[in-house]
Amino acid sequence: MTLHLYDSASRELRPLDPVVPGRVGIYHCGLTVQGPPHIGHIRKELVFDVLRRWLERSGLEVTIIANVTDIDDKILAKGRERGESWFAVAYENERALHAAYEVLGCRPPTYEPRATGHVPEMIEMIEALIERGHAYPATDGSGDVYFDVRSWPDYGELSNQRIDDMQAAPDAPADGKRDPRDFALWKGRKDDEPESASWPTPWGRGRPGWHLECSAMAAKYLGTEFDIHGGGLDLRFPHHENELAQSRAAGQAFARVWMHNAMLNLGNSKMSKSVGNTLTVAEVVKRVPAIALRYYLIAAHYRSIIEFSEQSLAEAATAFERIEGFCLRAAELVGAGEPGDVPADFAAAMDDDLSVPAALAVLQATIGEGNRLVADGASVALADTLASARAMLDVLGLDPLTWATQGESSATADALGQLVDALVAARAEAKAAKDWNRADELRDQLTAAGIELEDTPSGTRWNLKGGH
RNA sequence: GGUGGGUUGGCCGAGAGGCGAGGCAACGGACUGCAAAUCCGUUUACACGGGUUCAAAUCCCGUACCCACCUCCA
């Protein structure tokens, strides 16, 4: 079976049929870097990270392009408000995004083109659209250039809407547009905007319209026809609809499959800055191990809304501890080994539109089997089970044994290890002397410091609770 | 007004006509000096009202509520 994905354009499950056999080109809309990423933003990154890992494990060569929108109204406004340059704001938040990728174990995209670095490509595209009669410079002298939605009969095909049914934007009539739904390909520079935020074009100085950058950059890095275009469901209209119209109107085939992930809600509405219900990745990772946050955000199907709650986050962290506990215990018995093959059921689940919940059920069954084997000590069967579990965890980016062992320096870790080992040894002596009060006192002391003890037939294991 | 999606047990979360996904929590048991961890077992479901069918959480009709988009948004 090959991977089937739900295509939001045709609204059906479709088999992946790469433009170039053996290779997959994916474009997903990155962030407008106007603030640090919140956990809703990062959900999208995780979806595509898992997709990428699964495709690679299936033997495909994957190219992922994720744009960085480093200029827009909000970035300019924030710069003004803070008395900083717009590009300082954009870059600061781009670095925060990369930090979030890293801490959650997302492998970086193949490339992350910035909008401001692709003005020539955009100009070429606008020229092509004007020549073909699908775009026109604003009649009011603003320097804007608009896409003419009435000139493109398929406009609305992605979101299944007809132009006449759409609510007109409230500010539309004034802008020198032929139709209120026409959207900006290019925005003329306004007097109060910094000179550095504009680029020369045949239509005067200005800056990119949001939608155009993705069309231009996708074509540059993936070609005029590519496999998968993705992003959050909130981008389907107008952003993706407009991208599709532009690119097709310019004569390109564009994306074969459109993939949209559902939102992460907090308090019954989408997490977003304008609602004010955001939790940044940096904040949440202070409360719960990053790997547990990753588990939480991945565990639900990507097309299901996640209603965020502290309780469900905490439960996810507990659930993941069982998985982690098995890997650590098994690795102590038989060595970490290498990830092996993924069970057929797991593969079938992943091939079915990335059904991570079903895939996790397979993983949980493997963990249960593994824990039974652990009780009997080292065995070939245990080594095989661990290899299988690790293969599945690797696809999900959740393998505790390869998860970045960042954190404390080894000197700190050594010092901690010696101290804990000494206390564990003291407890063992107390136990041997049947001095249960002393033994429990030592255990309580360690627990209070965040060290968990686990007595096994072969001695006492310990680990730092939430130690990632 | 238009376009999509949703409502499942104490909680999270799959499934899309017939065998009770899975996890968390709870309870009982095994193990333990006692715990923890682990294993075994048990308990609680398909928003509401109709209909189709031998059989409906799943299909159809209606109702209620929720989310997203039509304006910047992952």
Side-chain angles (χ1 to χ4, degrees):
Chain A
M1 181 171 164
T2 58
L3 175 63
H4 284 62
L5 290 171
Y6 180 82
D7 171 34
S8 1
S10 58
R11 289 173 292 283
E12 63 184 15
L13 223 49
R14 295 187 38 204
L16 183 69
D17 174 27
V19 175
V20 180
R23 295 188 181 185
V24 181
I26 302 173
Y27 188 96
H28 62 84
C29 288
L31 285 193
T32 300
V33 281
Q34 45 134 331
H38 63 241
I39 57 176
H41 292 136
I42 213 70
R43 180 183 189 190
K44 189 265 300 179
E45 310 299 345
L46 291 170
V47 166
F48 286 94
D49 187 55
V50 170
L51 172 65
R52 183 245 203 104
R53 287 166 182 265
W54 180 238
L55 290 169
E56 287 181 350
R57 182 154 264 268
S58 307
L60 293 152
E61 193 181 304
V62 182
T63 302
I64 297 202
I65 304 298
N67 62 301
V68 171
T69 302
D70 59 344
I71 182 120
D72 87 321
D73 292 353
K74 286 186 179 172
I75 293 169
L76 289 168
K78 183 159 266 180
R80 210 175 295 129
E81 179 189 308
R82 286 212 216 150
E84 288 175 23
S85 60
W86 60 273
F87 48 83
V89 170
Y91 190 51
E92 179 187 324
N93 290 314
E94 184 181 323
R95 289 193 338 265
L97 172 63
H98 290 156
Y101 275 161
E102 174 109 25
V103 75
L104 289 180
C106 283
R107 291 167 50 201
T110 311
Y111 187 51
E112 291 181 278
R114 294 185 189 132
T116 56
H118 297 76
V119 171
E121 288 82 356
M122 296 184 212
I123 292 173
E124 277 179 4
M125 196 150 180
I126 295 171
E127 282 173 337
L129 287 168
I130 291 177
E131 262 170 46
R132 287 166 170 255
H134 297 299
Y136 60 95
T139 51
D140 61 359
S142 61
D144 290 356
V145 182
Y146 297 119
F147 183 86
D148 184 348
V149 297
R150 296 279 180 189
S151 76
W152 187 245
D154 291 337
Y155 190 74
E157 62 179 316
L158 179 64
S159 54
N160 193 29
Q161 300 182 92
R162 290 179 312 158
I163 294 175
D164 292 320
D165 287 338
M166 295 175 191
Q167 279 177 359
D171 62 332
D175 288 347
K177 293 181 177 177
R178 291 180 187 166
D179 185 285
R181 289 85 170 181
D182 288 353
F183 58 89
L185 297 167
W186 189 258
K187 295 181 162 188
R189 176 172 175 263
K190 301 191 177 61
D191 292 338
D192 61 343
E193 291 176 356
E195 185 72 16
S196 63
S198 68
W199 289 260
T201 73
W203 315 282
R205 292 192 74 85
R207 59 186 169 91
W210 177 36
H211 315 299
L212 187 63
E213 66 183 70
C214 291
S215 286
M217 298 191 298
K220 181 178 178 82
Y221 297 106
L222 294 172
T224 55
E225 181 173 17
F226 58 95
D227 301 301
I228 300 170
H229 190 131
L233 189 54
D234 54 352
L235 295 187
R236 194 172 54 139
F237 190 93
H239 184 52
H240 289 334
E241 186 75 69
N242 292 352
E243 277 183 53
L244 180 62
Q246 287 159 2
S247 292
R248 290 255 166 101
Q252 303 178 6
F254 213 50
R256 287 193 170 180
V257 170
W258 289 85
M259 206 178 145
H260 290 105
N261 62 280
M263 299 291 96
L264 182 137
N265 288 7
L266 199 169
N268 262 350
S269 67
K270 175 176 83 167
M271 184 169 284
S272 81
K273 262 203 127 176
S274 50
V275 180
N277 60 346
T278 59
L279 288 169
T280 63
V281 172
E283 282 168 336
V284 176
V285 151
K286 284 179 193 160
R287 281 184 278 139
V288 83
I291 197 169
L293 175 59
R294 181 177 173 110
Y295 178 86
Y296 175 64
L297 293 174
I298 275 177
H301 188 94
Y302 76 91
R303 288 193 285 118
S304 294
I305 292 170
I306 295 178
E307 184 64 49
F308 178 87
S309 77
E310 292 295 340
Q311 191 196 338
S312 54
L313 176 63
E315 281 176 8
T318 309
F320 186 72
E321 279 173 19
R322 175 163 173 265
I323 295 167
E324 189 176 42
F326 163 71
C327 291
L328 297 175
R329 264 176 275 126
E332 280 173 22
L333 288 170
V334 296
E338 290 296 322
D341 289 327
V342 131
D345 289 356
F346 180 92
M350 293 301 287
D351 277 340
D352 180 17
D353 195 30
L354 301 183
S355 295
V356 174
L360 281 174
V362 178
L363 174 67
Q364 295 288 1
T366 304
I367 300 296
E369 170 67 17
N371 276 328
R372 263 168 258 137
L373 290 167
V374 163
D376 299 332
S379 67
V380 173
L382 178 59
D384 288 348
T385 304
L386 177 61
S388 170
R390 289 192 66 198
M392 293 186 268
L393 287 162
D394 181 54
V395 168
L396 302 172
L398 289 171
D399 184 352
L401 300 181
T402 53
W403 189 265
T405 45
Q406 353 137 302
E408 317 85 50
S409 68
S410 60
T412 313
D414 285 352
L416 176 69
Q418 286 186 31
L419 289 168
V420 175
D421 286 344
L423 289 170
V424 167
R427 175 167 168 267
E429 278 175 34
K431 281 174 69 174
K434 297 200 189 301
D435 182 353
W436 310 125
N437 286 339
R438 176 63 183 150
D440 290 349
E441 192 186 315
L442 287 164
R443 184 170 62 198
D444 291 346
Q445 209 178 332
L446 284 162
T447 305
I451 308 286
E452 277 182 333
L453 296 187
E454 194 180 313
D455 289 339
T456 74
S458 55
T460 300
R461 299 179 63 238
W462 64 269
N463 64 284
L464 203 53
K465 179 139 173 98
H468 283 101

